[in-house]
Amino acid sequence: MAWGNMKKKEGRETKMKKTYKIEVDCANCALKMEEAAKKVQGVDEATVSFMTQKMKVEFAEGADEKSVMQNVLKACKKVEDDCEIFLD
């Protein structure tokens, strides 16, 4: 399940951040997913942890999180076809 928050910091809003449960087989595969996610338009930052089986994504300002994550999933499947990102 994804979670997100938009916090105000010193009078301005910070970017949307969400964490997604993933399924990936090895640390190298997780690194490939992270690198692919970072290249997707609308993603400012992404980290993937093999140990916790989670992906943290920081979205660009104004980005539509659902469409960005669909593109992240497609990009990750290109580099690691048996990975999964649980978007629900």
Side-chain angles (χ1 to χ4, degrees):
M1 190 66 143
W3 60 270
N5 61 344
M6 187 74 83
K7 296 180 181 175
K8 286 200 176 213
K9 195 174 204 177
E10 296 177 15
R12 59 188 171 108
E13 290 187 0
T14 60
K15 296 178 183 174
M16 177 71 76
K17 297 178 185 178
K18 288 207 172 193
T19 299
Y20 299 90
K21 185 176 183 301
I22 63 168
E23 189 174 295
V24 63
D25 296 332
C26 69
N28 189 48
C29 301
L31 180 60
K32 288 180 186 179
M33 288 177 67
E34 182 176 302
E35 290 170 350
K38 287 179 178 181
K39 294 177 183 175
V40 173
Q41 185 175 0
V43 174
D44 271 353
E45 186 59 48
T47 56
V48 176
S49 172
F50 170 68
M51 294 299 291
T52 62
Q53 294 285 297
K54 292 188 178 173
M55 173 185 279
K56 293 182 181 181
V57 179
E58 183 176 311
F59 297 94
E61 191 173 324
D64 175 41
E65 117 194 29
K66 291 184 184 210
S67 64
V68 169
M69 285 310 296
Q70 288 296 326
N71 291 331
V72 167
L73 180 58
K74 288 177 192 173
C76 288
K77 291 277 189 183
K78 285 181 183 176
V79 296
E80 196 54 47
D81 63 347
D82 65 343
C83 73
E84 189 58 69
I85 303 171
F86 300 98
L87 301 177
D88 296 329

